[in-house]
């Protein structure tokens, strides 16, 4: 008997359901799927629909049959089967990437296939097995149809199970495949389940073709009215789910450069990232996806206060004791809430939207947010400041740019110092250049906002004296320069400040073995140059030279013999070393770069020496 006849002749009630499913699993193939669709009556599908999901999912062209399952299958059984199928999906470089290379982020080398009948059959068989991505989209489409059909007093229990399964699979999927298309389908799911009337975006090429509109087919297991608190529970589940999806989506990318664009909004001459987002289709797609999730957060009644409470207050862990009994039992994603809040602020600030945004201050709000996310392994970082994912650092800095100063002494100097230390370490350690710069700008603003000049001086001194990062010491020199150039009567406009800082601004250069000394020199060069430029300012600026008594300052701290002449000496030693013992270790390119660095130092030293002569400073 041919396969189609075997399937047709055994359709229940000719045999029992289990026997027919056994026969179907033996003979079914993609070519027979159109005929199978004709056999799936509402009654039959209601009985065997949940078994058909696992049977049909691996077959290309099964969308029509799965539409019928979504419309007539037992929704409770089918939803549980879909959750099981979602948990079984595996997104790996070796499988999903090779099956569908145009949808993967990873570059997979093409394999040459011999033109033989055996390899052709293998390629055909591979084609007939849908990728994990297409299976995921199919299952999401089925959930969109099946979940609203459940009629029970507690549909939130099924919804919680479904959303948990979707989120776990989505979190895995975005590590291996581009997130936009699968996120698009998840957004459609949220819109449908929440009853949001906002129109869907047009389908994208990789979207599932499974029916994604709720059906009126009845729930064969009952038609109970939902309990009174079910609407609130389901809305909160979907709101929480939205924040978790937003977290995973943004962390799968390099972010939306919110802090850079917010800073460029202030600085009229800087438009680099603003222009990139205006012209680059990938960035525009990313912003559109985030915009859809922001809109869903509003539709699901997530307030700014809800987000702030989640971001700042201790995290409430989801209970493992069963389904939630009240909306307060359902926590939002802390990182997703941060992203959602920043996206709202960016929408209002960058695009002039009418979204309501909170009025935040550096102290206490930004200090608390920074404490939550920076230096915290729980927030997704390594536990060391600067090791957090770039999008999280970007969001924290963006919040800072949107804050007013507040009262830096709000919770005492200790909180102020800790906040500055966190920001300044970001500016030293973050791999991204633009994030390092933005962190530096925000650190500088925060430092200069403190009303006490003594507090500002002590922080600058602590950085110069104890910080192990030379680039951060260079930042401290720039903070000092800014303070000294202020037109006020602070301690910085007296000789006290520079005399207090002299041992750390112009440290004595101790002799070291050549190789070790050269490594230290390369690390310290940015700080040396910053210190030389600062000293040049003191010497050449007539008002500062007189007001700060730079003549006495230079003599008291013996700047020439303590700092300038030793720098001249080591420059000479290193030039000789690069022509000798250091050359082999550095290589040709390293030698040329080293000579360029030494030349830059010598130019600055000559400039300073000349200015000292002009000012008659010995």
């Amino acid at each position: 008997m041919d396969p189609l006849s075997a399937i047709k002749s055994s359709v229940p009630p000719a045999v029992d359901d289990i026997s027919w499913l056994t026969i179907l699993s033996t003979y079914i193939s993609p070519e027979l799927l159109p005929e199978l669709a004709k056999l799936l009556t509402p009654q039959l599908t209601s009985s065997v629909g949940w078994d058909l999901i696992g049977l049909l999912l691996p077959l290309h062209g099964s969308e029509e049959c799965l539409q019928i399952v979504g419309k007539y299958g037992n929704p409770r059984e089918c939803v549980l089967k879909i959750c099981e199928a979602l948990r079984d999906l595996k997104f790996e470089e070796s499988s999903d990437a090779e099956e569908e290379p145009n949808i993967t982020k990873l570059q997979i080398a093409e394999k040459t296939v011999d033109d033989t009948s055996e390899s052709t059959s293998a390629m055909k068989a591979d084609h007939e097995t849908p990728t994990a991505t297409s299976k995921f989209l199919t299952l999401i489409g089925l959930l969109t149809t099946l979940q609203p059909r459940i009629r029970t007093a507690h549909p939130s229990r099924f919804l919680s199970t479904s959303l948990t399964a979707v989120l776990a699979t989505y979190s895995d999927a975005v590590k291996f495949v581009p997130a936009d298309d699968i996120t698009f389908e998840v957004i459609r799911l949220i819109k449908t389940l929440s009853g949001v009337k906002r129109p869907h975006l047009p389908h994208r090429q990789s979207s599932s073709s499974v029916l994604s509109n709720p059906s009126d087919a009845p729930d064969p297991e009952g038609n109970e009215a939902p309990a009174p608190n079910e609407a609130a529970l389901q809305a909160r589940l979907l709101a929480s789910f939205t924040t978790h999806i937003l977290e995973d989506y943004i962390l799968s990318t390099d972010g939306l450069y919110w802090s850079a664009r917010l800073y460029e909004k202030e600085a009229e001459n800087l438009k680099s990232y603003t222009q990139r987002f205006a012209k680059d289709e990938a960035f525009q797609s990313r912003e559109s996806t985030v915009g859809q999730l922001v809109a869903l957060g509003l539709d699901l009644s997530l307030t700014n206060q809800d987000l702030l409470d989640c971001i700042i207050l201790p995290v409430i862990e989801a209970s493992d004791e069963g389904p939630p009994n009240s909306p307060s039992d359902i926590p939002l994603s802390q990182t997703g809430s941060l992203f959602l809040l920043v996206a709202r602020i960016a929408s209002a600030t960058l695009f002039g939207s009418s979204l309501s945004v909170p009025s935040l201050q550096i102290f206490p709000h930004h200090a608390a947010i920074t404490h939550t996310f920076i230096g915290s392994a729980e927030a997704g970082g390594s536990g060391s400041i600067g090791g957090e994912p770039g999008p999280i650092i970007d969001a924290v800095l963006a919040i800072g740019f949107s804050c007013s100063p507040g009262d830096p002494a709000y919770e005492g100097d200790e909180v102020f110092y800790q906040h500055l230390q966190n920001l300044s370490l970001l500016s030293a350690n973050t791999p991204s250049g633009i994030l390092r710069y933005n962190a530096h700008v925000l650190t500088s603003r925060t430092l200069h906002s403190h009303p006490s000049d003594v507090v500002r001086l002590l922080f600058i001194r602590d950085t110069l004296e104890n910080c192990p990062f030379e680039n951060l010491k260079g930042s401290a020199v720039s903070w000092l320069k800014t303070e000294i150039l202020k037109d006020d009567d602070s301690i910085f406009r007296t000789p006290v400040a520079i005399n207090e800082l002299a041992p750390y601004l112009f440290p004595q250069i101790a002799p070291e073995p050549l190789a070790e000394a050269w490594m230290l020199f390369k690390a310290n060069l940015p700080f040396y140059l910053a210190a030389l430029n600062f000293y040049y300012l003191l010497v050449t600026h007539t008002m500062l030279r007189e007001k700060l008594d730079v003549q006495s300052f230079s003599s008291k701290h013996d700047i020439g013999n303590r700092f300038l002449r030793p720098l001249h000496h080591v420059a000479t030693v290193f030039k000789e070393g690069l022509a000798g013992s250091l050359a082999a270790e550095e290589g040709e390119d390293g030698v040329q770069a080293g000579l360029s660095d030494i030349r830059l130092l010598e130019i600055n030293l000559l400039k300073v020496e000349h200015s000292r002569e002009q000012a008659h400073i010995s």
Side-chain angles (χ1 to χ4, degrees):
M1 185 180 295
D2 69 273
L4 181 58
S5 298
I7 294 172
K8 282 184 173 182
S9 64
S10 57
V11 171
V15 300
D16 61 82
D17 293 346
I18 295 177
S19 298
W20 184 67
L21 287 168
T22 302
I23 294 169
L24 184 64
S25 65
T26 302
Y27 291 109
I28 193 63
S29 65
E31 293 76 13
L32 299 181
L33 289 172
E35 294 300 322
L36 175 62
K38 299 174 184 178
L39 300 176
L40 295 177
T41 63
Q43 182 178 355
L44 176 61
T45 307
S46 179
S47 298
V48 301
W50 75 303
D51 289 296
L52 290 176
I53 291 173
L55 187 62
L56 297 175
L57 190 62
L59 300 178
H60 266 301
S62 61
E63 289 83 5
E64 183 182 2
C65 293
L66 288 171
Q67 286 180 15
I68 297 171
V69 171
K71 188 171 183 179
Y72 297 115
N74 183 315
R76 305 185 196 200
E77 294 178 348
C78 289
V79 163
L80 295 178
K81 188 67 176 181
I82 287 170
C83 294
E84 178 185 326
L86 283 168
R87 287 190 290 268
D88 289 341
L89 289 180
K90 302 299 179 185
F91 292 84
E92 297 177 354
E93 177 182 353
S94 60
S95 58
D96 201 60
E98 289 179 4
E99 289 169 6
E100 197 167 329
N102 61 324
I103 58 141
T104 182
K105 290 190 293 187
L106 305 172
Q107 294 299 314
I108 308 299
E110 292 186 359
K111 296 182 178 181
T112 302
V113 181
D114 293 332
D115 188 15
T116 65
S117 59
E118 182 179 352
S119 62
T120 302
S121 299
M123 291 174 65
K124 181 178 179 180
D126 193 48
H127 174 72
E128 291 173 353
T129 303
T131 64
T133 301
S134 63
K135 290 178 183 178
F136 177 75
L137 296 174
T138 296
L139 293 170
I140 294 297
L142 279 172
L143 271 180
T144 306
T145 303
L146 286 160
Q147 190 74 43
R149 290 181 50 215
I150 295 176
R151 296 288 186 267
T152 176
H154 301 286
S156 63
R157 297 177 182 178
F158 286 90
L159 180 61
S160 177
T161 301
S162 298
L163 297 182
T164 300
V166 172
L167 179 62
T169 306
Y170 177 88
S171 300
D172 186 38
V174 293
K175 299 173 186 175
F176 298 97
V177 301
D180 279 334
D181 284 342
I182 59 175
T183 306
F184 172 84
E185 291 300 331
V186 172
I187 288 172
R188 291 176 64 88
L189 173 69
I190 301 171
K191 286 181 180 179
T192 300
L193 298 185
S194 64
V196 171
K197 301 303 181 183
R198 194 183 301 275
H200 297 304
L201 290 176
H203 274 288
R204 301 185 184 185
Q205 185 175 3
S206 64
S207 297
S208 167
S209 60
V210 173
L211 182 68
S212 58
N213 293 314
S215 168
D216 293 328
D219 181 347
E221 294 191 34
N223 191 25
E224 298 177 73
N229 67 337
E230 274 298 303
L233 274 173
Q234 292 184 73
R236 181 67 174 188
L237 282 169
L238 290 167
S240 173
F241 180 70
T242 298
T243 62
H244 281 89
I245 290 295
L246 182 61
E247 173 187 358
D248 286 343
Y249 174 74
I250 291 182
L251 290 179
S252 74
T253 72
D254 56 353
L256 282 91
Y257 298 94
W258 283 310
S259 61
R261 291 190 288 161
L262 286 171
Y263 179 62
E264 289 177 355
K265 183 77 173 178
E266 303 174 16
E268 294 296 330
N269 59 327
L270 294 175
K271 296 298 176 189
S272 173
Y273 284 91
T274 303
Q275 291 172 352
R276 284 177 63 183
F277 269 77
K279 297 177 180 178
D280 191 294
E281 291 184 4
F283 282 138
Q284 290 173 3
S285 175
R286 190 180 304 173
E287 193 136 63
S288 173
T289 300
V290 171
Q292 289 277 306
L293 291 166
V294 169
L296 284 173
L298 294 170
D299 293 330
L300 293 165
S301 302
L302 276 178
T303 67
N304 292 328
Q305 193 60 52
D306 290 335
L307 301 177
L308 277 172
D309 288 346
C310 178
I311 292 168
I312 294 176
L313 298 179
V315 176
I316 301 173
E317 297 293 342
S319 173
D320 294 329
E321 298 180 357
N325 294 315
S326 72
S328 61
D329 295 335
I330 305 168
L332 305 176
S333 159
Q334 191 174 49
T335 301
S337 295
L338 172 70
F339 290 153
L340 188 53
L341 184 64
V342 177
R344 290 181 178 182
I345 292 171
S347 177
T349 306
L350 298 176
F351 307 114
S353 73
S354 58
L355 287 180
S356 172
V357 296
S359 178
L360 302 178
Q361 298 177 330
I362 294 292
F363 298 95
H365 302 108
H366 190 247
I369 291 170
T370 303
H371 177 74
T372 298
F373 289 96
I374 301 304
S376 168
E378 289 78 11
S382 62
S384 61
I385 292 178
E388 300 81 6
I392 291 180
I393 296 174
D394 177 45
V396 169
L397 295 176
I399 290 274
F401 280 126
S402 70
C403 288
S404 60
D407 181 5
Y410 177 79
E411 294 180 346
D413 293 343
E414 189 62 33
V415 171
F416 179 77
Y417 286 139
Q418 185 60 56
H419 185 49
L420 273 183
Q421 185 178 56
N422 288 341
L423 290 177
S424 61
L425 288 175
L426 276 182
S427 73
N429 294 340
T430 304
S432 165
I434 186 62
L435 294 181
R436 285 199 306 273
Y437 177 74
N438 290 338
H440 166 73
V441 170
L442 199 54
T443 306
S444 303
R445 287 184 183 180
T446 305
L447 172 65
H448 299 315
S449 73
H450 199 286
S452 170
D453 53 357
V454 174
V455 168
R456 302 197 301 271
L457 175 61
L458 289 177
F459 184 77
I460 293 173
R461 171 179 168 159
D462 181 68
T463 303
L464 289 170
E465 181 181 5
N466 299 313
C467 181
F469 304 107
E470 298 305 320
N471 57 344
L472 196 47
K473 289 184 179 180
S475 295
V477 176
S478 74
W479 301 332
L480 176 61
K481 184 186 297 184
T482 298
E483 292 290 348
I484 283 178
L485 291 174
K486 283 183 181 178
D487 188 13
D488 59 19
D489 295 324
S490 73
I491 194 173
F492 293 96
R493 301 282 278 190
T494 72
V496 174
I498 59 171
N499 279 284
E500 177 73 17
L501 300 175
Y504 316 112
L505 279 170
F506 310 107
Q508 191 166 11
I509 299 174
E512 298 276 355
L514 182 60
E516 289 81 352
W518 173 241
M519 296 300 295
L520 282 173
F521 171 79
K522 289 194 293 183
N524 292 339
L525 181 61
F527 169 66
Y528 291 153
L529 294 174
L532 287 171
N533 284 326
F534 175 71
Y535 186 60
Y536 179 77
L537 171 68
L538 296 180
V539 173
T540 58
H541 195 294
T542 304
M543 185 274 290
L544 292 179
R545 188 171 67 242
E546 295 174 358
K547 195 174 185 68
L548 304 183
D549 194 4
V550 176
Q551 176 81 42
S552 298
F553 166 79
S554 299
S555 176
K556 177 181 179 180
H557 298 283
D558 197 14
I559 302 298
N561 291 321
R562 175 188 175 88
F563 186 67
L564 300 178
R565 290 182 183 85
L567 278 179
H568 270 298
H569 174 69
V570 298
T572 301
V573 170
F574 291 145
K575 280 196 292 187
E576 294 173 354
L578 289 171
S581 59
L582 294 175
E585 182 178 345
E586 291 294 316
E588 184 177 349
D589 291 342
V591 168
Q592 293 303 315
L595 291 173
S596 296
D597 288 342
I598 293 170
R599 180 59 181 159
L600 180 61
L601 176 67
E602 289 177 329
I603 290 172
N604 280 272
L605 282 168
L606 291 173
K607 183 175 68 174
V608 168
E609 291 289 7
H610 178 70
S611 67
R612 279 163 56 91
E613 292 176 5
Q614 294 291 106
H616 306 292
I617 297 175
S618 57

